[in-house]
Every structure is written in C-alpha cells, then in structure tokens.
Amino acid sequence: MGFEEKHTKQFLMQMSAVACLAVMMTLLMLRGWEAGARRMLFEHDAAVVSFLLDHGISRQTAAEAVLSDGTLAEGEELLHKIGISAETDIRFMPAIYEVCAAQRRMVSLGGVLLLLLLFTCIFRYLGKTDRIYRDAAVVVERYMDNDFSLRLPELDGGALYRLFSRVNFMAAMLKTKQEAENRAKEFLKTSVADISHQLKTPIAALSLYQEIIRNEPDQIRTVVDFTKKSEAALSRMEGLVKSLLRITRLDAGSVVFSPKVYDAEELVRQAVEELADRAKREEKEIILSGDNTAKVFCDMEWSREGLGNVVKNALDHTGRGDKIIITWEQTPLMTRFTVADTGEGIAPEDIHHIFKRFYRSRKEQSAGVGLGLSVAKAIMEGQGGTIGVQSGTERGTKFMLSFLTKS
C-alpha cells in the first residue's frame, strides 16, 4: 500500500491525531450545546414563571405551566397571534440568539484550528517527500556523471526505499563495470606498449643484420652467421605473434575446448617432444616419471601447449647440468602433473606475478616475452583445471597442473 515509509507513517499518525482531536472537539461542542440549551430553557422557564407570579398567578399554577406536558395547540395559537412561530428569525429571540452565536463562534474557531493542523501536517508530509525526491535526483545525476561517492537512503522500510536499494545495487554494478573497463583500457595500453617493446628489439636487430649482409655480400661466413641471426629474430617475432593470438582467443572466449580421455603419459611425451633437442643442446636433462595407467580428461592440443609452456619456462630458468623432472598421478578427483626443476628458483617478490602477461623479473636474462605462463594459466582455467607454483631462491621451482577427472 506504500504506507511503510517512515515519513508516511508519521504523516498517518499525525492525521490520526488530528482526527482524534476533531472527535474530542465535536464531543466538547456537543456538550457545550447541551449545556447552553439547558441554560437557555431554564432562563426561559424562569422568565415565564416570574411573569406569571408578577401578574398574580399562584405558584402552583405557574409551576404547572412550566412542567405541563399537555397539548400545545392553544399555546401555539396564542404565539402565532403575537407573531412568533417556528420560522421566526432567531435575531428576534435574544436569549436563543446569544446561545447560538456563542456556539457558532466556538465551531468556527475549532474548524479553523483543525484546518490549520490538517494543512500543517499535509504540507510537512509533502515537503519531506519533495526533499527525498530532490536528494534522490541529485544522487542519480551523480551516478550519471560516473560519481558513485553518494548513496540513496535505504535503511527504512517501504516500496520507495526498496526502489532506492535496487538503484544503489544498479549503481554498484555500473561502478564495477566501469572499473573493469578502466582496468581493461589500462591493460590494453600496457600490453600495446609491451608488444611494441618486444617487437622493437628483433625488428632493430633484423635491420642491423640486413645492413651488415648488404654491406658485406662477398663475406660468406658473415652472410651465413647473420642470416642465422635473422632467422632467430624472425622466429622470436613469430613466437610472440602466435602467443598473442592464442591469449587473445582465450580471452575472447572463442576457444571451444574438446576434452577427451587420453593417456597421461602420452600428453607429457607430446608436450616435451619439441623441447628434447633444446634440452640436449643446453646440456639439461628432462626426466619423465609417472603411472603409465593414469588417464587425463583434457583437450590434447591445447593442454599440450599449456604443459609445453611450463616445461619451456623451466628450460629458460635452468643452467647446464640442471634437471627438469616431470611426474604425474591420478586420483579419484583429478590428474595432476608436476614440473620440477633444479634451477635458480623464483624470488619471493616475483612469485606472485609470474602468471601476469609480459612479466619478467629484473634479473631475467632469457629471450622469452613473458606470455608462456599466462597462456598456460588461461588454458588450464578454460578447461576447469588449476595451475600453481612453489619456489624459493636457490631451491628450484615446482609447477602443479591439475585436470579434473571425468565424472
């Protein structure tokens, strides 16, 4: 009914009080009219009795004239003869006129007071309602200007404050969306700067290599060496572009994973297949150890990419003679892969940032662009899995990739 708001309840209570006051005043006026009528009739009877006594009528007869309840026909006939009837103007009856005039004054004064109280209550109610709406309009205008520092009142009950509560909720959602958009814009700005920086180095190197080859076309050894360096720079650029395309597709939600049940060992072997030659060239050892009956429910192509990025990260942060140990096991809830290395480890100030895009620690010297672990994390989370890390300076690093078991 809309009567739950505090100011509406106060208005109704005030109106109820005014109504009670009106009833009390009516009762008092009725009692006043009754007393006035009694006094008027008493004075009239007294005047009649006095007149009769003054003209020699006995007391008994005078009393009977006042108290008699007999026929009124003869009395009415006599009054008509002297010009008095029920329609006679009250001004020609001084006693009655005085009583009625007093009652009119009382009724008029009471009516004026009641009207004043009534309009005072109404104007206070409308004024308070108007203030609430004006304040609400100011807050909504702030919301429209992306200023969410103010809130609409919602502590009281009632339909109006429930509406304010929903508006506040909508404002909170808009604020969250705006903050997300600002973060996205800032991230895009940073990403563009990082991509430009990552591409600037190989492009500059390519320009230099091409200039050297162009200036020394007869030096076969120089041409071969700088051609290989150009190929390495191009390969780096190609890897950066591929990683950017992958992370963009994952962010946009355009990747449709097609999980199936595979041998866990097969996933590991495919992930390290292309990295085995690099490990051998860098004199590092990749060791595989796990349950050969374990199964994994995943998208093979994308999961191979994610696990391979973690192994590649391990190769980037290990030295000659270090080992990279890959193990796997299956439980009723998940299949877990562990990639542990005996390398330099991750500093405490870096470990909380390693999954951020383009993040590289200040002491990192590898040629990576800082996207591999971000891609791996997006792939795992896109399939409902998780990826975690444990590390410490000079203690090596251990990554855990967990896939949910097919239900």
Side-chain angles (χ1 to χ4, degrees), residues 57-68:
I57 305 300
S58 67
R59 289 178 177 270
Q60 180 65 29
T61 303
E64 290 177 356
V66 175
L67 298 176
S68 175

PDB file of all heavy atoms in Angstrom, residues 57-68:
ATOM      1  N   ILE A  57     -50.655  35.195  39.385  1.00  0.00           N
ATOM      2  CA  ILE A  57     -50.913  33.752  39.217  1.00  0.00           C
ATOM      3  C   ILE A  57     -50.261  33.025  40.375  1.00  0.00           C
ATOM      4  O   ILE A  57     -49.136  33.321  40.788  1.00  0.00           O
ATOM      5  CB  ILE A  57     -50.366  33.246  37.879  1.00  0.00           C
ATOM      6  CG1 ILE A  57     -50.936  34.066  36.703  1.00  0.00           C
ATOM      7  CG2 ILE A  57     -50.678  31.778  37.680  1.00  0.00           C
ATOM      8  CD1 ILE A  57     -52.451  34.015  36.604  1.00  0.00           C
ATOM      9  N   SER A  58     -50.990  32.039  40.892  1.00  0.00           N
ATOM     10  CA  SER A  58     -50.453  31.299  42.046  1.00  0.00           C
ATOM     11  C   SER A  58     -49.216  30.503  41.657  1.00  0.00           C
ATOM     12  O   SER A  58     -49.004  30.163  40.493  1.00  0.00           O
ATOM     13  CB  SER A  58     -51.532  30.354  42.592  1.00  0.00           C
ATOM     14  OG  SER A  58     -51.806  29.326  41.649  1.00  0.00           O
ATOM     15  N   ARG A  59     -48.427  30.251  42.707  1.00  0.00           N
ATOM     16  CA  ARG A  59     -47.196  29.483  42.464  1.00  0.00           C
ATOM     17  C   ARG A  59     -47.499  28.099  41.882  1.00  0.00           C
ATOM     18  O   ARG A  59     -46.790  27.598  41.027  1.00  0.00           O
ATOM     19  CB  ARG A  59     -46.430  29.329  43.775  1.00  0.00           C
ATOM     20  CG  ARG A  59     -45.792  30.615  44.259  1.00  0.00           C
ATOM     21  CD  ARG A  59     -45.085  30.393  45.604  1.00  0.00           C
ATOM     22  NE  ARG A  59     -44.412  31.613  46.018  1.00  0.00           N
ATOM     23  CZ  ARG A  59     -43.151  31.919  45.706  1.00  0.00           C
ATOM     24  NH1 ARG A  59     -42.453  31.112  44.957  1.00  0.00           N
ATOM     25  NH2 ARG A  59     -42.627  33.053  46.128  1.00  0.00           N
ATOM     26  N   GLN A  60     -48.570  27.488  42.386  1.00  0.00           N
ATOM     27  CA  GLN A  60     -48.925  26.145  41.907  1.00  0.00           C
ATOM     28  C   GLN A  60     -49.235  26.178  40.416  1.00  0.00           C
ATOM     29  O   GLN A  60     -48.762  25.356  39.641  1.00  0.00           O
ATOM     30  CB  GLN A  60     -50.137  25.621  42.689  1.00  0.00           C
ATOM     31  CG  GLN A  60     -50.593  24.222  42.282  1.00  0.00           C
ATOM     32  CD  GLN A  60     -49.559  23.149  42.599  1.00  0.00           C
ATOM     33  OE1 GLN A  60     -48.796  23.322  43.562  1.00  0.00           O
ATOM     34  NE2 GLN A  60     -49.542  22.084  41.799  1.00  0.00           N
ATOM     35  N   THR A  61     -50.002  27.184  40.021  1.00  0.00           N
ATOM     36  CA  THR A  61     -50.383  27.291  38.611  1.00  0.00           C
ATOM     37  C   THR A  61     -49.165  27.601  37.741  1.00  0.00           C
ATOM     38  O   THR A  61     -48.999  27.054  36.643  1.00  0.00           O
ATOM     39  CB  THR A  61     -51.442  28.383  38.439  1.00  0.00           C
ATOM     40  OG1 THR A  61     -52.572  28.081  39.266  1.00  0.00           O
ATOM     41  CG2 THR A  61     -51.905  28.473  36.986  1.00  0.00           C
ATOM     42  N   ALA A  62     -48.295  28.489  38.231  1.00  0.00           N
ATOM     43  CA  ALA A  62     -47.080  28.848  37.478  1.00  0.00           C
ATOM     44  C   ALA A  62     -46.178  27.629  37.288  1.00  0.00           C
ATOM     45  O   ALA A  62     -45.607  27.391  36.210  1.00  0.00           O
ATOM     46  CB  ALA A  62     -46.327  29.955  38.197  1.00  0.00           C
ATOM     47  N   ALA A  63     -46.059  26.811  38.374  1.00  0.00           N
ATOM     48  CA  ALA A  63     -45.217  25.607  38.276  1.00  0.00           C
ATOM     49  C   ALA A  63     -45.806  24.623  37.285  1.00  0.00           C
ATOM     50  O   ALA A  63     -45.096  24.004  36.471  1.00  0.00           O
ATOM     51  CB  ALA A  63     -45.064  24.965  39.655  1.00  0.00           C
ATOM     52  N   GLU A  64     -47.123  24.465  37.333  1.00  0.00           N
ATOM     53  CA  GLU A  64     -47.762  23.531  36.410  1.00  0.00           C
ATOM     54  C   GLU A  64     -47.632  24.010  34.960  1.00  0.00           C
ATOM     55  O   GLU A  64     -47.522  23.208  34.027  1.00  0.00           O
ATOM     56  CB  GLU A  64     -49.233  23.360  36.782  1.00  0.00           C
ATOM     57  CG  GLU A  64     -49.440  22.607  38.077  1.00  0.00           C
ATOM     58  CD  GLU A  64     -50.916  22.515  38.464  1.00  0.00           C
ATOM     59  OE1 GLU A  64     -51.731  23.114  37.722  1.00  0.00           O
ATOM     60  OE2 GLU A  64     -51.224  21.853  39.454  1.00  0.00           O
ATOM     61  N   ALA A  65     -47.603  25.319  34.753  1.00  0.00           N
ATOM     62  CA  ALA A  65     -47.447  25.856  33.402  1.00  0.00           C
ATOM     63  C   ALA A  65     -46.084  25.480  32.801  1.00  0.00           C
ATOM     64  O   ALA A  65     -45.948  25.231  31.601  1.00  0.00           O
ATOM     65  CB  ALA A  65     -47.624  27.372  33.423  1.00  0.00           C
ATOM     66  N   VAL A  66     -45.079  25.453  33.675  1.00  0.00           N
ATOM     67  CA  VAL A  66     -43.728  25.111  33.199  1.00  0.00           C
ATOM     68  C   VAL A  66     -43.576  23.615  33.002  1.00  0.00           C
ATOM     69  O   VAL A  66     -42.980  23.129  32.034  1.00  0.00           O
ATOM     70  CB  VAL A  66     -42.672  25.649  34.173  1.00  0.00           C
ATOM     71  CG1 VAL A  66     -41.292  25.187  33.762  1.00  0.00           C
ATOM     72  CG2 VAL A  66     -42.726  27.162  34.227  1.00  0.00           C
ATOM     73  N   LEU A  67     -44.147  22.811  33.952  1.00  0.00           N
ATOM     74  CA  LEU A  67     -43.933  21.365  33.922  1.00  0.00           C
ATOM     75  C   LEU A  67     -44.975  20.631  33.116  1.00  0.00           C
ATOM     76  O   LEU A  67     -44.876  19.427  32.898  1.00  0.00           O
ATOM     77  CB  LEU A  67     -43.931  20.825  35.360  1.00  0.00           C
ATOM     78  CG  LEU A  67     -42.833  21.364  36.276  1.00  0.00           C
ATOM     79  CD1 LEU A  67     -43.011  20.819  37.686  1.00  0.00           C
ATOM     80  CD2 LEU A  67     -41.463  20.999  35.736  1.00  0.00           C
ATOM     81  N   SER A  68     -45.974  21.283  32.611  1.00  0.00           N
ATOM     82  CA  SER A  68     -47.073  20.606  31.922  1.00  0.00           C
ATOM     83  C   SER A  68     -46.589  20.012  30.607  1.00  0.00           C
ATOM     84  O   SER A  68     -45.803  20.611  29.876  1.00  0.00           O
ATOM     85  CB  SER A  68     -48.202  21.606  31.645  1.00  0.00           C
ATOM     86  OG  SER A  68     -49.212  20.978  30.877  1.00  0.00           O
TER      87      SER A  68
END
